[in-house]
Amino acid sequence: MTSYGDDATVRGILTGAGDTWAVVGLSNNTARAAYGVARVLQRYGKRIVPVHPKAETVLGEPGYASLAEIPFEVDVVDVFVNSALAGEVADQAVAVGAKAVWFQLGVVDEVAYGRVRAAGVSMVMDRCPAIEIPRLG
């Protein structure tokens, strides 16, 4: 199995990239993984920014329809869209100046990974921050 983002990169994003996380695909559907992961990120002191076409307020944070509409800097873009759409989101993350891009478990786009890394942006793919962050100890 190929690993996209070694443990040092994972640690760097979770502890050093910054605390404002745009969660793309986050809605008020509590059954979706994005909701549970966003809740864990909040428990660990991260500010979550919901990004979803509905632009709903989720977990007390106002939502935006796209990354480009967020009127402040975003440190990490956490991607919960299917792999076919993820590359476009990664490109948008680089365009808005995110320090890191994180593709969730099951979200894989090797070409997008290469583009993000070539742009000098940290990236992890096919891993979950809600699983990784408690491991930091």
Side-chain angles (χ1 to χ4, degrees):
M1 182 180 116
T2 304
S3 177
Y4 300 98
D6 58 24
D7 289 341
T9 301
V10 168
R11 179 176 289 278
I13 292 172
L14 290 171
T15 64
D19 289 335
T20 302
W21 285 56
V23 183
V24 179
L26 176 59
S27 71
N28 276 308
N29 182 344
T30 58
R32 303 283 304 195
Y35 190 92
V37 170
R39 209 170 48 215
V40 170
L41 290 170
Q42 278 187 326
R43 273 202 302 265
Y44 280 88
K46 308 297 183 191
R47 176 186 183 190
I48 58 110
V49 182
V51 180
H52 189 279
K54 293 180 185 173
E56 301 173 300
T57 294
V58 183
L59 294 166
E61 294 287 346
Y64 298 88
S66 71
L67 290 172
E69 292 178 24
I70 300 172
F72 47 83
E73 285 189 17
V74 170
D75 300 310
V76 181
V77 175
D78 190 6
V79 182
F80 279 93
V81 300
N82 82 42
S83 297
L85 303 173
E88 183 180 332
V89 175
D91 294 339
Q92 292 167 9
V94 171
V96 301
K99 296 178 189 118
V101 176
W102 193 300
F103 280 10
Q104 281 299 138
L105 288 172
V107 180
V108 176
D109 181 333
E110 293 180 15
V111 176
Y113 182 85
R115 283 196 311 267
V116 170
R117 297 297 299 124
V121 176
S122 295
M123 183 162 178
V124 171
M125 184 164 68
D126 196 26
R127 290 175 81 167
C128 179
I131 293 170
E132 302 297 336
I133 202 166
R135 293 179 180 169
L136 295 177

